[in-house]
Amino acid sequence: MVNSGGQYMVLDKQGYDELVMYLTQNLALFEKPGVVKPNAPKVVELIEDVIAEHVIRLCEQHTGLSTEQRSLIVREVDGIVYDLQEVLSSVVDQRVTEEQQEFIEEFAGLVKNLFDSAIQ
């Protein structure tokens, strides 16, 4: 996950530390029951889908990214998704509640914002 300069794009930045803290502050959302809509995806499916959508949007918005930069983004996002799945391992196979869905969508947007800031 290290680029050629030996640096991370976002994983070693304060913003990522704050994002992890935000996740830990909201873990209670994943520990309590909530409203599950019919056909709601599993937590893991939603995490993967929503973050993938944001990465695609990121790459579409930053057309000047090199192949190396895109690869670095994908590797770092894979690490972020892995970390998120590890933290939420006890609930990843449960159907997502409405509150959890809102949080995951917001979290994915914040991940994209970290990369947007790193690119500009």
Side-chain angles (χ1 to χ4, degrees):
M1 282 199 277
V2 178
N3 72 17
S4 60
Q7 297 289 318
Y8 292 103
M9 189 173 280
V10 300
L11 293 181
D12 63 347
K13 305 294 187 270
Q14 181 180 348
Y16 184 67
D17 293 341
E18 292 170 359
L19 188 62
V20 170
M21 189 176 305
Y22 179 65
L23 171 62
T24 59
Q25 291 169 346
N26 285 280
L27 284 178
L29 289 174
F30 296 91
E31 298 168 352
K32 63 180 182 178
V35 176
V36 177
K37 291 183 180 178
N39 301 318
K42 292 181 179 180
V43 171
V44 67
E45 295 167 343
L46 185 66
I47 290 169
E48 292 171 352
D49 290 349
V50 172
I51 290 183
E53 289 172 15
H54 280 79
V55 170
I56 290 167
R57 193 172 308 130
L58 175 78
C59 291
E60 289 173 345
Q61 291 172 343
H62 298 279
T63 57
L65 290 172
S66 68
T67 302
E68 181 180 325
Q69 289 170 314
R70 289 174 190 266
S71 295
L72 178 60
I73 290 168
V74 169
R75 285 193 305 272
E76 287 198 23
V77 167
D78 281 347
I80 292 168
V81 169
Y82 177 82
D83 290 346
L84 192 53
Q85 290 173 341
E86 284 294 304
V87 170
L88 300 176
S89 62
S90 64
V91 297
V92 291
D93 289 325
Q94 294 177 8
R95 298 289 173 188
V96 70
T97 67
E98 290 178 356
E99 285 181 315
Q100 292 166 353
Q101 182 167 349
E102 286 177 27
F103 175 80
I104 291 168
E105 289 174 359
E106 181 180 5
F107 187 89
L110 294 171
V111 169
K112 180 186 177 293
N113 289 347
L114 284 176
F115 283 98
D116 279 331
S117 296
I119 292 168
Q120 295 175 8

